[in-house]
Amino acid sequence: MIRPTLALFVRALREDNRAKFPTIIRTVAVLFLLLLVWMNESDFAHNTAPGLALLTMIAMVNFFGLTITGIGMFCSAITEEKEDGTLSLLRMTRLNPLAIVLGKSTARLTSGLLFIAVQIPFTVLCIALGGTSFAQIFKVYAILGAYLFFLCNLGLLWSVLSRRTSRAVGMTLLTLALIYVLPFILYFSTGGFLFGMRAALTPLQQLQSRLVGANPFFDLISTVVPFWGFPFAADSIAPSLMGGLVCFLIAWAVFDRFSSEAATTRSPRKPGSRKRRFPRPWRLAIAWKDFQFGLGGKRGILIRLIIYAALLAGILGWIHHFNHLSQRDVGGAISTVAVMIFSVELGILASRIFGTERKRKTLGSLYVLPSSTASLIGQKILGTVLTFIPCLVLWIAGQMILDASPHTEHFALRWSEVSSALALALSRYIVFAVLVAYLSLRMRKGALLIGLLAIFLELIITNIVLFRFVFGRQIILNGNDWQTAISHLQLTVAAILLVTSLVLALLIPRRLAICAAED
Amino acid sequence: MDHVIDIRNLRHAYKNHVAVQDITFTVAARSIHGFVGPNGAGKTTTLKILATLLKPQNGRIGIFGQDIVGMRNFVRRKIGYMPDHFSMYRQMTVFEYLDFFGAAYGLGQLQRDKVIADVLALTDMAGRKDDFIQGLSRGMQQRVSLARVLVHDPELLLLDEPASGLDPRARIELMEILQELRRLGKTIFISSHILSELAELCDAVTILDRGTVKYTGSMRGLIASDGAESACLLTLTAGHPPALDALRALPGIKTVTPGAESPAEIALTFEKEHLSPNAILTAAISAGAQVVSFTEDVKHLNQAFMDLTEPGVRT
Ligand SMILES: Nc1ncnc2c1ncn2[C@@H]1O[C@H](COP(=O)(O)OP(=O)(O)O)[C@@H](O)[C@H]1O
Ligand SMILES: [Mg+2]
């Protein structure tokens, strides 16, 4: 059993070595660390513990970076074989389930751990800067490593259970939200701080505080800033390892059931037929198609609207039960959730707008229609934009509740102060959407992942620049000038992002023509 | 107009690999023109250029007398291009799929209703119009593809290996549909990597190998051009030695080979100048044999194809 597993492992590692992407990521990571160290010298000079500040930043960047890349990497472990139809071929070799599950996941995990390991020598520099110890650095990386182990096996489990990578990614994100984010929200919003003082906790509250305690993010924070003093003893390493092991064992146990030919190929809908469920095509037929078949047309809009509203009402009602929520809280929460849902939908739809046509090899037949490429792209955008109606409705509802709430003027921000931040946020969405759409025409998979990473990197760099600016000039400038300087900076970054989007957008028609001809 | 497609000195290279080099030929109106060549010959590349998916790098191409680059949208309205793979929205029903493409070509709703009914009847898919494309068999999907290509009533059909992967029955039915389309006045340019498959269907044929034209002209001409020798397959009800002797005795006969497995099938080669098929049949019948069939030897057609193309794997 060892030999075949090893073969699979070695094959995956070789592929990993040949692929440019992981190497690029690793190089970028190291360069990025060096950039941080360099910035640190000039900017954190007045900080009492510059090494610790640097370590904090490294820990946070790693945590989110690993989450994004990890999910993309681990969730495709088994589904990629299913999508290529090669899983049944693998099953016919001498490989047993354990060998396959182990072989497919270990290579990715190794690659991820390698990514962490290459940083350590550079991070040790933090000790020289002062304010931190080797033990602290070691613990940060131990937490990250254990978290990666959990992420790997969780992704693997969903990869075994799901038919497609996209499904596995969605389910993994949902699981992470359920065990990390939701307990945290409930914990704090329902007065979880007081749990410790109460004599008896309900089982649900116990579970909540356990889950919050096992959250690697909080563990990281309480490691790098112990003086913040979280009200619970965070220890995520053991739970992460245990959770990972459990996921792995389940993945192994159910592998056979979910890897059979019948489980991996979509059963054709039989006796598949439908009598006119959709309205007839519009004059803008391509827009009609993308609207109806993207996320289900009018019906899809209605269904999503109901689901989003019901979920929001449920969660807000639950919180309200423990902790009185003001009208302003409710309005703000609805708007915020609307923006979050929009972000997710935007990412998915941007990767699909051309990506699906390309994968299904249908671009060619659209491209030979007697209309211009501009009309093709325009119609696709129109059909997709209509899909955002539920988010828009939700957002407007939230804003209306906010506006109607008392004390609004008290919290109202001056337009001049928020407009530049808003411009920056909007241009970030635009560049993200255009980048993902463009990448989906350049690569078979991973467009969304790379788009996310790019935006993540941009966010960090922009914020470091802002940070550096604030720390560098703050002493000379007084309050008002400082605000203007920040908003100028934000507008500059927004302009850069918009120019980038424009360049990418102009590249799309050419790529489209190439992809259409390659079908 | 006699030439629907007029290709002159077309050349196309991918990076530094030349897929099509300097090909020239024409396709006559209202004909079925076969485009035959082994895998990698450059058929798909040529068809993609004709379908305006690829820009010609060199040479001139006219479709209905119009330049393919300058009059792109005119050309796109006139052609129906069927790629060599299924290009379908599998979550749609057959009707929705055709309705979508009709609308995309700018047809109004009433017009679409009529056209879709027509093409469904022609491809014999009327009974399956509310079925999801996903659940259809390969042969059915191929018919839906063909129906889609016909929705905007194009005058020229560009079909890239439509018969590959179909079972014999679906293949024959497809050929029947194509013949019906020719009767309706359409010009059909159809590619295949099997010459014999198109032998009965096509009026004319162009044979392509490694990007160069090896033969272009009528199907008859191809068979006739093959030297002074002709080949036939004579099938009797049973093996019949006296008939064999009678055939061997004919003047101008070259070989008489009964099949090793089934002696009733006799392969014959003969010199056209000295012997007519008529004389062969007469000889067999007067020797007392019961003739089941008498056809041109398809294996022979394959031989012609092999002689025109070069051996070796195409890159
Ligand atoms: N997108 C492409 N990039 C590079 N080479 C290609 C591409 N498409 C086809 N080729 C090459 O061009 C040659 C002709 O291909 P093609 O036109 O598909 O042949 P056919 O359809 O006759 O089998 C082949 O050698 C093939 O490898
Ligand atoms: Mg081909």
Side-chain angles (χ1 to χ4, degrees), chain B:
Chain B
M1 179 156 333
D2 47 350
H3 294 323
V4 168
I5 303 176
D6 187 355
I7 299 181
R8 276 171 208 278
N9 305 105
L10 174 69
R11 188 187 124 86
H12 191 93
Y14 296 101
K15 300 229 171 73
N16 43 28
H17 174 80
V18 182
V20 172
Q21 41 189 323
D22 205 35
I23 62 173
T24 300
F25 65 91
T26 56
V27 172
R30 295 163 200 277
S31 68
I32 300 185
H33 192 109
F35 193 40
V36 186
N39 289 322
K43 305 180 296 291
T44 300
T45 306
T46 311
L47 277 158
K48 278 180 181 170
I49 293 171
L50 290 173
T52 72
L53 277 173
L54 280 175
K55 285 220 167 69
Q57 292 165 344
N58 209 330
R60 288 184 58 80
I61 298 176
I63 286 191
F64 293 101
Q66 303 292 335
D67 184 65
I68 198 167
V69 181
M71 299 289 289
R72 208 173 62 163
N73 280 355
F74 168 85
V75 168
R76 285 179 173 183
R77 276 182 200 290
K78 291 273 187 180
I79 59 169
Y81 167 62
M82 187 162 134
D84 57 357
H85 55 84
F86 291 125
S87 161
M88 308 222 257
Y89 299 101
R90 287 149 64 217
Q91 71 275 42
M92 291 188 185
T93 66
V94 173
F95 183 83
E96 282 163 355
Y97 181 69
L98 300 176
D99 204 18
F100 164 63
F101 272 99
Y105 275 99
L107 305 182
Q109 194 162 314
L110 292 176
Q111 210 178 348
R112 290 202 306 269
D113 284 340
K114 191 184 161 309
V115 169
I116 292 172
D118 286 350
V119 296
L120 284 175
L122 182 76
T123 52
D124 200 17
M125 288 294 289
R128 312 292 299 260
K129 78 183 174 73
D130 289 321
D131 286 13
F132 284 106
I133 291 177
Q134 202 166 36
L136 296 178
S137 71
R138 209 183 161 85
M140 297 243 181
Q141 290 196 0
Q142 195 63 287
R143 287 181 191 205
V144 176
S145 277
L146 188 61
R148 189 264 291 174
V149 168
L150 294 171
V151 159
H152 62 291
D153 197 25
E155 289 171 50
L156 169 63
L157 297 181
L158 305 170
L159 312 178
D160 198 356
E161 307 210 5
S164 76
L166 296 187
D167 61 47
R169 185 187 181 85
R171 218 173 266 233
I172 291 165
E173 285 167 353
L174 177 72
M175 299 303 163
E176 280 168 3
I177 296 173
L178 294 183
Q179 267 158 353
E180 176 63 27
L181 284 169
R182 172 174 49 185
R183 272 194 290 280
L184 293 173
K186 312 233 180 261
T187 308
I188 300 170
F189 187 55
I190 174 177
S191 86
S192 171
H193 57 272
I194 305 170
L195 179 62
S196 51
E197 182 178 273
L198 297 180
E200 282 171 43
L201 181 74
C202 290
D203 308 300
V205 64
T206 296
I207 294 182
L208 195 70
D209 185 32
R210 304 192 183 194
T212 53
V213 173
K214 297 291 178 183
Y215 173 85
T216 180
S218 72
M219 199 74 207
R220 286 274 112 215
L222 174 66
I223 294 162
S225 75
D226 189 42
E229 217 172 273
S230 222
C232 284
L233 195 64
L234 177 68
T235 312
L236 309 178
T237 44
H240 198 276
L244 287 182
D245 293 337
L247 288 171
R248 288 201 177 102
L250 283 169
I253 198 94
K254 300 209 64 161
T255 57
V256 176
T257 357
E261 300 283 316
S262 48
E265 282 173 22
I266 306 163
L268 302 153
T269 56
F270 55 95
E271 284 163 30
K272 269 179 281 189
E273 265 181 60
H274 302 293
L275 193 60
S276 70
N278 213 341
I280 295 175
L281 257 185
T282 318
I285 292 167
S286 41
Q290 295 281 321
V291 176
V292 175
S293 72
F294 184 59
T295 57
E296 234 152 14
D297 194 344
V298 181
K299 277 194 211 123
H300 194 67
L301 205 55
N302 287 338
Q303 192 55 48
F305 182 64
M306 295 296 277
D307 291 344
L308 282 169
T309 56
E310 285 164 39
V313 177
R314 275 92 189 142
T315 48

Side-chain angles (χ1 to χ4, degrees), chain A residues 163 261-262 265-273, chain B residues 90 132-137 141:
Chain A
R163 229 171 248 156
E261 191 63 35
T265 48
R266 199 182 288 249
S267 55
R269 281 178 244 178
K270 277 191 181 170
S273 76
Chain B
R90 287 149 64 217
F132 284 106
I133 291 177
Q134 202 166 36
L136 296 178
S137 71
Q141 290 196 0

